[in-house]
Amino acid sequence: MDPLIAKKANGDKLSSEGKCKNTKLSVQGIPIVTYFYLLLGGCDIVLGIFWLQTLGPIV
């Protein structure tokens, strides 16, 4: 797997070669099963387009 490169708001870049598949979490009572890339750099979790797509069409 190629490493994922993520850019932080301050311009710094983080790379990840790890991925957690079928991760379960609940956001305000809404159950979500998705995957997460492992990033080291001060964030507890970053929710992006991947989990947002599980909620339905993005318009």
Side-chain angles (χ1 to χ4, degrees):
M1 175 174 98
D2 290 332
L4 171 83
I5 305 296
K7 187 187 257 187
K8 294 173 30 176
N10 67 1
D12 290 346
K13 293 181 181 178
L14 301 171
S15 65
S16 172
E17 294 188 26
K19 185 176 181 180
C20 297
K21 297 179 182 179
N22 296 320
T23 305
K24 298 175 187 177
L25 72 141
S26 176
V27 177
Q28 293 187 342
I30 300 170
I32 299 169
V33 178
T34 188
Y35 60 90
F36 291 93
Y37 288 97
L38 303 173
L39 297 172
L40 301 176
C43 298
D44 292 328
I45 190 170
V46 177
L47 299 174
I49 195 73
F50 303 117
W51 82 272
L52 189 59
Q53 290 174 330
T54 67
L55 301 179
I58 301 169
V59 292

Short mmCIF file of all heavy atoms in Angstrom, two decimals:
data_model
loop_
_atom_site.label_atom_id
_atom_site.label_comp_id
_atom_site.label_asym_id
_atom_site.label_seq_id
_atom_site.Cartn_x
_atom_site.Cartn_y
_atom_site.Cartn_z
N MET A 1 0.85 -1.18 0.00
CA MET A 1 0.00 0.00 0.00
C MET A 1 0.89 1.24 0.00
O MET A 1 1.83 1.35 0.78
CB MET A 1 -0.89 -0.02 1.25
CG MET A 1 -1.74 1.20 1.41
SD MET A 1 -2.90 1.07 2.79
CE MET A 1 -2.02 1.95 4.03
N ASP A 2 0.59 2.18 -0.86
CA ASP A 2 1.32 3.44 -0.88
C ASP A 2 0.94 4.25 0.36
O ASP A 2 -0.22 4.22 0.78
CB ASP A 2 0.98 4.25 -2.13
CG ASP A 2 1.55 3.62 -3.39
OD1 ASP A 2 2.59 2.93 -3.29
OD2 ASP A 2 0.95 3.81 -4.46
N PRO A 3 1.89 4.98 0.93
CA PRO A 3 1.55 5.77 2.11
C PRO A 3 0.60 6.91 1.76
O PRO A 3 0.68 7.49 0.68
CB PRO A 3 2.89 6.31 2.59
CG PRO A 3 3.79 6.24 1.41
CD PRO A 3 3.29 5.11 0.56
N LEU A 4 -0.31 7.19 2.66
CA LEU A 4 -1.22 8.33 2.52
C LEU A 4 -0.47 9.56 3.02
O LEU A 4 0.16 9.52 4.07
CB LEU A 4 -2.48 8.12 3.37
CG LEU A 4 -3.40 9.32 3.46
CD1 LEU A 4 -4.30 9.37 2.24
CD2 LEU A 4 -4.23 9.27 4.72
N ILE A 5 -0.53 10.65 2.25
CA ILE A 5 0.07 11.91 2.66
C ILE A 5 -1.07 12.88 2.96
O ILE A 5 -1.92 13.13 2.12
CB ILE A 5 0.98 12.51 1.56
CG1 ILE A 5 2.05 11.50 1.13
CG2 ILE A 5 1.60 13.81 2.03
CD1 ILE A 5 3.03 11.12 2.20
N ALA A 6 -1.08 13.41 4.19
CA ALA A 6 -2.11 14.37 4.59
C ALA A 6 -1.43 15.69 4.93
O ALA A 6 -0.35 15.71 5.50
CB ALA A 6 -2.87 13.84 5.80
N LYS A 7 -2.07 16.79 4.55
CA LYS A 7 -1.53 18.10 4.84
C LYS A 7 -2.33 18.74 5.97
O LYS A 7 -3.56 18.80 5.91
CB LYS A 7 -1.59 19.00 3.61
CG LYS A 7 -0.89 20.34 3.78
CD LYS A 7 -1.12 21.24 2.59
CE LYS A 7 0.09 21.27 1.71
NZ LYS A 7 -0.05 22.28 0.64
N LYS A 8 -1.64 19.20 6.99
CA LYS A 8 -2.28 19.86 8.12
C LYS A 8 -2.58 21.31 7.75
O LYS A 8 -2.06 21.83 6.77
CB LYS A 8 -1.37 19.80 9.35
CG LYS A 8 -1.19 18.39 9.87
CD LYS A 8 -0.17 18.21 10.96
CE LYS A 8 0.07 19.31 11.91
NZ LYS A 8 1.01 18.99 12.99
N ALA A 9 -3.40 21.99 8.55
CA ALA A 9 -3.79 23.37 8.28
C ALA A 9 -2.59 24.31 8.23
O ALA A 9 -2.61 25.30 7.50
CB ALA A 9 -4.79 23.85 9.32
N ASN A 10 -1.53 23.99 8.97
CA ASN A 10 -0.36 24.86 8.99
C ASN A 10 0.63 24.55 7.87
O ASN A 10 1.71 25.13 7.78
CB ASN A 10 0.36 24.79 10.34
CG ASN A 10 0.99 23.44 10.60
OD1 ASN A 10 0.91 22.53 9.78
ND2 ASN A 10 1.59 23.30 11.77
N GLY A 11 0.28 23.60 6.99
CA GLY A 11 1.12 23.26 5.85
C GLY A 11 2.02 22.06 6.07
O GLY A 11 2.60 21.54 5.13
N ASP A 12 2.19 21.64 7.33
CA ASP A 12 3.00 20.45 7.60
C ASP A 12 2.33 19.22 6.98
O ASP A 12 1.11 19.16 6.85
CB ASP A 12 3.14 20.21 9.11
CG ASP A 12 4.01 21.24 9.80
OD1 ASP A 12 4.71 21.99 9.10
OD2 ASP A 12 3.97 21.29 11.04
N LYS A 13 3.16 18.24 6.63
CA LYS A 13 2.63 17.02 6.03
C LYS A 13 2.84 15.83 6.97
O LYS A 13 3.84 15.77 7.68
CB LYS A 13 3.30 16.74 4.70
CG LYS A 13 2.95 17.75 3.63
CD LYS A 13 3.62 17.43 2.32
CE LYS A 13 3.25 18.49 1.28
NZ LYS A 13 3.92 18.24 0.02
N LEU A 14 1.88 14.94 6.99
CA LEU A 14 1.95 13.71 7.75
C LEU A 14 1.81 12.55 6.79
O LEU A 14 1.05 12.63 5.82
CB LEU A 14 0.81 13.63 8.77
CG LEU A 14 0.70 14.73 9.81
CD1 LEU A 14 -0.61 14.60 10.58
CD2 LEU A 14 1.87 14.65 10.77
N SER A 15 2.51 11.47 7.03
CA SER A 15 2.34 10.30 6.19
C SER A 15 1.88 9.12 7.03
O SER A 15 2.12 9.06 8.23
CB SER A 15 3.64 9.95 5.46
OG SER A 15 4.63 9.56 6.39
N SER A 16 1.19 8.21 6.39
CA SER A 16 0.66 7.04 7.09
C SER A 16 0.79 5.83 6.19
O SER A 16 0.52 5.90 5.00
CB SER A 16 -0.81 7.25 7.44
OG SER A 16 -1.36 6.05 7.95
N GLU A 17 1.20 4.75 6.77
CA GLU A 17 1.21 3.49 6.04
C GLU A 17 0.28 2.48 6.70
O GLU A 17 0.23 1.32 6.29
CB GLU A 17 2.63 2.95 5.97
CG GLU A 17 3.52 3.84 5.14
CD GLU A 17 4.89 3.24 4.89
OE1 GLU A 17 5.01 2.01 4.91
OE2 GLU A 17 5.82 4.01 4.67
N GLY A 18 -0.48 2.92 7.70
CA GLY A 18 -1.38 2.03 8.40
C GLY A 18 -2.83 2.38 8.16
O GLY A 18 -3.18 3.52 7.89
N LYS A 19 -3.68 1.38 8.23
CA LYS A 19 -5.11 1.58 7.99
C LYS A 19 -5.89 0.65 8.91
O LYS A 19 -5.57 -0.54 9.03
CB LYS A 19 -5.41 1.26 6.53
CG LYS A 19 -6.82 1.53 6.07
CD LYS A 19 -6.90 1.24 4.58
CE LYS A 19 -8.25 1.49 4.02
NZ LYS A 19 -8.30 1.21 2.57
N CYS A 20 -6.89 1.18 9.60
CA CYS A 20 -7.77 0.38 10.45
C CYS A 20 -9.07 0.15 9.68
O CYS A 20 -9.81 1.10 9.41
CB CYS A 20 -8.07 1.10 11.76
SG CYS A 20 -6.63 1.39 12.78
N LYS A 21 -9.33 -1.10 9.34
CA LYS A 21 -10.53 -1.42 8.56
C LYS A 21 -11.70 -1.76 9.48
O LYS A 21 -11.51 -2.22 10.60
CB LYS A 21 -10.25 -2.61 7.65
CG LYS A 21 -9.18 -2.34 6.62
CD LYS A 21 -8.92 -3.57 5.78
CE LYS A 21 -7.82 -3.31 4.78
NZ LYS A 21 -7.53 -4.49 3.98
N ASN A 22 -12.91 -1.52 9.00
CA ASN A 22 -14.15 -1.84 9.71
C ASN A 22 -14.16 -1.34 11.14
O ASN A 22 -14.52 -2.05 12.07
CB ASN A 22 -14.40 -3.35 9.68
CG ASN A 22 -14.63 -3.85 8.28
OD1 ASN A 22 -15.30 -3.19 7.48
ND2 ASN A 22 -14.07 -4.99 7.94
N THR A 23 -13.77 -0.09 11.31
CA THR A 23 -13.76 0.54 12.63
C THR A 23 -15.15 1.05 12.95
O THR A 23 -15.77 1.73 12.14
CB THR A 23 -12.75 1.71 12.66
OG1 THR A 23 -11.48 1.21 12.25
CG2 THR A 23 -12.64 2.32 14.02
N LYS A 24 -15.63 0.74 14.14
CA LYS A 24 -16.97 1.16 14.56
C LYS A 24 -16.86 2.35 15.50
O LYS A 24 -16.05 2.35 16.42
CB LYS A 24 -17.68 0.02 15.28
CG LYS A 24 -17.89 -1.20 14.42
CD LYS A 24 -18.49 -2.32 15.22
CE LYS A 24 -18.55 -3.59 14.37
NZ LYS A 24 -19.06 -4.73 15.14
N LEU A 25 -17.68 3.38 15.25
CA LEU A 25 -17.78 4.50 16.17
C LEU A 25 -19.18 5.07 16.11
O LEU A 25 -19.97 4.73 15.22
CB LEU A 25 -16.74 5.58 15.84
CG LEU A 25 -16.95 6.41 14.58
CD1 LEU A 25 -16.56 7.85 14.88
CD2 LEU A 25 -16.10 5.87 13.47
N SER A 26 -19.49 5.91 17.07
CA SER A 26 -20.81 6.53 17.14
C SER A 26 -20.62 8.03 17.26
O SER A 26 -19.88 8.51 18.12
CB SER A 26 -21.57 6.00 18.37
OG SER A 26 -22.80 6.65 18.50
N VAL A 27 -21.28 8.79 16.37
CA VAL A 27 -21.22 10.24 16.39
C VAL A 27 -22.62 10.75 16.67
O VAL A 27 -23.53 10.57 15.85
CB VAL A 27 -20.69 10.82 15.05
CG1 VAL A 27 -20.71 12.33 15.07
CG2 VAL A 27 -19.30 10.29 14.75
N GLN A 28 -22.83 11.32 17.84
CA GLN A 28 -24.13 11.80 18.31
C GLN A 28 -25.20 10.73 18.11
O GLN A 28 -26.30 10.99 17.62
CB GLN A 28 -24.51 13.09 17.60
CG GLN A 28 -23.61 14.24 17.97
CD GLN A 28 -24.07 15.57 17.41
OE1 GLN A 28 -24.87 15.63 16.48
NE2 GLN A 28 -23.56 16.63 17.98
N GLY A 29 -24.87 9.49 18.47
CA GLY A 29 -25.83 8.40 18.42
C GLY A 29 -25.96 7.73 17.05
O GLY A 29 -26.69 6.76 16.92
N ILE A 30 -25.27 8.23 16.04
CA ILE A 30 -25.33 7.63 14.71
C ILE A 30 -24.19 6.64 14.57
O ILE A 30 -23.02 7.03 14.64
CB ILE A 30 -25.23 8.70 13.60
CG1 ILE A 30 -26.37 9.71 13.72
CG2 ILE A 30 -25.22 8.06 12.22
CD1 ILE A 30 -26.22 10.92 12.84
N PRO A 31 -24.50 5.35 14.40
CA PRO A 31 -23.43 4.36 14.27
C PRO A 31 -22.79 4.44 12.89
O PRO A 31 -23.46 4.57 11.88
CB PRO A 31 -24.15 3.02 14.46
CG PRO A 31 -25.56 3.30 14.07
CD PRO A 31 -25.83 4.74 14.39
N ILE A 32 -21.47 4.37 12.87
CA ILE A 32 -20.71 4.45 11.63
C ILE A 32 -19.68 3.34 11.63
O ILE A 32 -19.00 3.12 12.63
CB ILE A 32 -20.00 5.82 11.49
CG1 ILE A 32 -21.03 6.95 11.47
CG2 ILE A 32 -19.13 5.86 10.25
CD1 ILE A 32 -20.44 8.32 11.61
N VAL A 33 -19.57 2.61 10.52
CA VAL A 33 -18.51 1.63 10.33
C VAL A 33 -17.72 2.09 9.11
O VAL A 33 -18.27 2.21 8.02
CB VAL A 33 -19.07 0.21 10.10
CG1 VAL A 33 -17.94 -0.78 9.86
CG2 VAL A 33 -19.91 -0.23 11.30
N THR A 34 -16.46 2.36 9.30
CA THR A 34 -15.63 2.90 8.23
C THR A 34 -14.19 2.48 8.46
O THR A 34 -13.92 1.63 9.30
CB THR A 34 -15.77 4.43 8.14
OG1 THR A 34 -15.10 4.92 6.99
CG2 THR A 34 -15.24 5.12 9.37
N TYR A 35 -13.27 3.06 7.72
CA TYR A 35 -11.86 2.78 7.94
C TYR A 35 -11.13 4.09 8.22
O TYR A 35 -11.59 5.16 7.85
CB TYR A 35 -11.23 2.05 6.76
CG TYR A 35 -11.28 2.80 5.44
CD1 TYR A 35 -10.25 3.66 5.09
CD2 TYR A 35 -12.34 2.65 4.58
CE1 TYR A 35 -10.29 4.36 3.89
CE2 TYR A 35 -12.39 3.33 3.38
CZ TYR A 35 -11.36 4.18 3.04
OH TYR A 35 -11.39 4.87 1.86
N PHE A 36 -10.02 3.98 8.90
CA PHE A 36 -9.22 5.14 9.26
C PHE A 36 -7.76 4.89 8.90
O PHE A 36 -7.27 3.78 9.04
CB PHE A 36 -9.30 5.42 10.77
CG PHE A 36 -10.63 5.90 11.21
CD1 PHE A 36 -11.59 5.02 11.68
CD2 PHE A 36 -10.94 7.25 11.17
CE1 PHE A 36 -12.83 5.46 12.09
CE2 PHE A 36 -12.18 7.70 11.57
CZ PHE A 36 -13.12 6.80 12.04
N TYR A 37 -7.10 5.93 8.45
CA TYR A 37 -5.65 5.89 8.26
C TYR A 37 -5.02 6.34 9.58
O TYR A 37 -5.53 7.24 10.24
CB TYR A 37 -5.20 6.81 7.14
CG TYR A 37 -5.58 6.30 5.78
CD1 TYR A 37 -6.71 6.76 5.13
CD2 TYR A 37 -4.79 5.35 5.13
CE1 TYR A 37 -7.06 6.29 3.87
CE2 TYR A 37 -5.13 4.88 3.88
CZ TYR A 37 -6.27 5.35 3.26
OH TYR A 37 -6.60 4.88 2.02
N LEU A 38 -3.93 5.73 9.94
CA LEU A 38 -3.22 6.08 11.16
C LEU A 38 -2.27 7.24 10.88
O LEU A 38 -1.41 7.15 10.01
CB LEU A 38 -2.42 4.88 11.67
CG LEU A 38 -3.25 3.63 11.95
CD1 LEU A 38 -2.33 2.47 12.29
CD2 LEU A 38 -4.25 3.87 13.06
N LEU A 39 -2.46 8.34 11.59
CA LEU A 39 -1.60 9.51 11.45
C LEU A 39 -1.07 9.87 12.83
O LEU A 39 -1.82 9.88 13.80
CB LEU A 39 -2.39 10.71 10.90
CG LEU A 39 -2.97 10.56 9.51
CD1 LEU A 39 -3.88 11.74 9.20
CD2 LEU A 39 -1.86 10.47 8.48
N LEU A 40 0.18 10.18 12.91
CA LEU A 40 0.78 10.64 14.16
C LEU A 40 1.07 12.12 14.01
O LEU A 40 1.75 12.54 13.10
CB LEU A 40 2.06 9.88 14.46
CG LEU A 40 1.91 8.37 14.59
CD1 LEU A 40 3.27 7.71 14.78
CD2 LEU A 40 0.99 8.02 15.74
N GLY A 41 0.51 12.93 14.91
CA GLY A 41 0.76 14.35 14.80
C GLY A 41 -0.18 15.22 15.60
O GLY A 41 -0.39 16.37 15.28
N GLY A 42 -0.79 14.69 16.64
CA GLY A 42 -1.56 15.53 17.53
C GLY A 42 -3.07 15.49 17.36
O GLY A 42 -3.78 16.12 18.12
N CYS A 43 -3.59 14.78 16.38
CA CYS A 43 -5.04 14.70 16.19
C CYS A 43 -5.57 13.41 16.81
O CYS A 43 -4.97 12.36 16.65
CB CYS A 43 -5.41 14.71 14.70
SG CYS A 43 -4.91 16.21 13.87
N ASP A 44 -6.69 13.51 17.50
CA ASP A 44 -7.32 12.31 18.01
C ASP A 44 -7.96 11.53 16.87
O ASP A 44 -7.81 10.33 16.75
CB ASP A 44 -8.39 12.65 19.06
CG ASP A 44 -7.77 13.20 20.32
OD1 ASP A 44 -6.64 12.81 20.66
OD2 ASP A 44 -8.41 14.05 20.96
N ILE A 45 -8.73 12.26 16.03
CA ILE A 45 -9.38 11.64 14.88
C ILE A 45 -9.70 12.75 13.87
O ILE A 45 -10.01 13.88 14.25
CB ILE A 45 -10.66 10.88 15.30
CG1 ILE A 45 -11.20 10.04 14.16
CG2 ILE A 45 -11.71 11.82 15.83
CD1 ILE A 45 -12.30 9.08 14.59
N VAL A 46 -9.61 12.42 12.62
CA VAL A 46 -9.97 13.35 11.55
C VAL A 46 -11.05 12.67 10.73
O VAL A 46 -10.82 11.60 10.17
CB VAL A 46 -8.76 13.70 10.65
CG1 VAL A 46 -9.19 14.60 9.51
CG2 VAL A 46 -7.66 14.34 11.46
N LEU A 47 -12.21 13.28 10.68
CA LEU A 47 -13.31 12.73 9.89
C LEU A 47 -13.33 13.45 8.56
O LEU A 47 -13.44 14.67 8.50
CB LEU A 47 -14.64 12.91 10.62
CG LEU A 47 -14.74 12.21 11.97
CD1 LEU A 47 -16.04 12.57 12.65
CD2 LEU A 47 -14.62 10.71 11.81
N GLY A 48 -13.24 12.70 7.48
CA GLY A 48 -13.21 13.29 6.15
C GLY A 48 -14.30 12.73 5.26
O GLY A 48 -15.31 12.22 5.72
N ILE A 49 -14.08 12.81 3.99
CA ILE A 49 -15.07 12.43 2.99
C ILE A 49 -15.43 10.95 3.06
O ILE A 49 -16.56 10.56 2.78
CB ILE A 49 -14.60 12.84 1.59
CG1 ILE A 49 -15.74 12.79 0.59
CG2 ILE A 49 -13.46 11.97 1.12
CD1 ILE A 49 -16.72 13.88 0.74
N PHE A 50 -14.49 10.10 3.49
CA PHE A 50 -14.75 8.66 3.50
C PHE A 50 -15.92 8.31 4.41
O PHE A 50 -16.82 7.59 4.02
CB PHE A 50 -13.50 7.89 3.93
CG PHE A 50 -12.31 8.17 3.07
CD1 PHE A 50 -11.18 8.75 3.59
CD2 PHE A 50 -12.33 7.85 1.72
CE1 PHE A 50 -10.08 9.02 2.78
CE2 PHE A 50 -11.24 8.11 0.91
CZ PHE A 50 -10.12 8.70 1.45
N TRP A 51 -15.94 8.83 5.63
CA TRP A 51 -17.05 8.51 6.53
C TRP A 51 -18.30 9.30 6.16
O TRP A 51 -19.41 8.83 6.31
CB TRP A 51 -16.68 8.74 8.00
CG TRP A 51 -16.81 10.16 8.44
CD1 TRP A 51 -15.87 11.12 8.35
CD2 TRP A 51 -17.98 10.78 8.98
NE1 TRP A 51 -16.36 12.30 8.80
CE2 TRP A 51 -17.66 12.14 9.20
CE3 TRP A 51 -19.25 10.36 9.29
CZ2 TRP A 51 -18.57 13.04 9.73
CZ3 TRP A 51 -20.15 11.27 9.82
CH2 TRP A 51 -19.81 12.58 10.03
N LEU A 52 -18.13 10.51 5.62
CA LEU A 52 -19.27 11.33 5.23
C LEU A 52 -20.10 10.64 4.16
O LEU A 52 -21.32 10.71 4.15
CB LEU A 52 -18.77 12.70 4.76
CG LEU A 52 -19.81 13.78 4.52
CD1 LEU A 52 -20.61 14.06 5.77
CD2 LEU A 52 -19.13 15.05 4.04
N GLN A 53 -19.43 9.92 3.26
CA GLN A 53 -20.13 9.20 2.19
C GLN A 53 -21.04 8.11 2.76
O GLN A 53 -22.02 7.74 2.13
CB GLN A 53 -19.13 8.56 1.23
CG GLN A 53 -18.41 9.59 0.39
CD GLN A 53 -17.30 8.96 -0.45
OE1 GLN A 53 -16.71 7.97 -0.07
NE2 GLN A 53 -17.02 9.58 -1.59
N THR A 54 -20.75 7.61 3.96
CA THR A 54 -21.60 6.56 4.53
C THR A 54 -22.96 7.09 4.94
O THR A 54 -23.89 6.32 5.16
CB THR A 54 -20.93 5.89 5.75
OG1 THR A 54 -20.84 6.84 6.83
CG2 THR A 54 -19.55 5.38 5.42
N LEU A 55 -23.09 8.42 5.07
CA LEU A 55 -24.36 9.01 5.50
C LEU A 55 -25.32 9.28 4.35
O LEU A 55 -26.48 9.60 4.59
CB LEU A 55 -24.09 10.32 6.26
CG LEU A 55 -23.20 10.20 7.49
CD1 LEU A 55 -22.99 11.56 8.11
CD2 LEU A 55 -23.78 9.23 8.50
N GLY A 56 -24.86 9.15 3.11
CA GLY A 56 -25.74 9.36 1.97
C GLY A 56 -25.10 10.30 0.96
O GLY A 56 -23.92 10.63 1.05
N PRO A 57 -25.89 10.73 -0.04
CA PRO A 57 -25.37 11.59 -1.10
C PRO A 57 -24.82 12.91 -0.55
O PRO A 57 -25.37 13.48 0.38
CB PRO A 57 -26.58 11.86 -1.98
CG PRO A 57 -27.54 10.76 -1.68
CD PRO A 57 -27.29 10.39 -0.25
N ILE A 58 -23.72 13.35 -1.14
CA ILE A 58 -23.11 14.64 -0.78
C ILE A 58 -23.45 15.61 -1.91
O ILE A 58 -23.06 15.40 -3.05
CB ILE A 58 -21.59 14.48 -0.62
CG1 ILE A 58 -21.28 13.45 0.46
CG2 ILE A 58 -20.95 15.84 -0.31
CD1 ILE A 58 -19.84 13.06 0.50
N VAL A 59 -24.21 16.63 -1.57
CA VAL A 59 -24.63 17.61 -2.58
C VAL A 59 -24.17 19.00 -2.22
O VAL A 59 -23.94 19.31 -1.11
CB VAL A 59 -26.16 17.59 -2.79
CG1 VAL A 59 -26.58 16.31 -3.43
CG2 VAL A 59 -26.90 17.83 -1.50
#
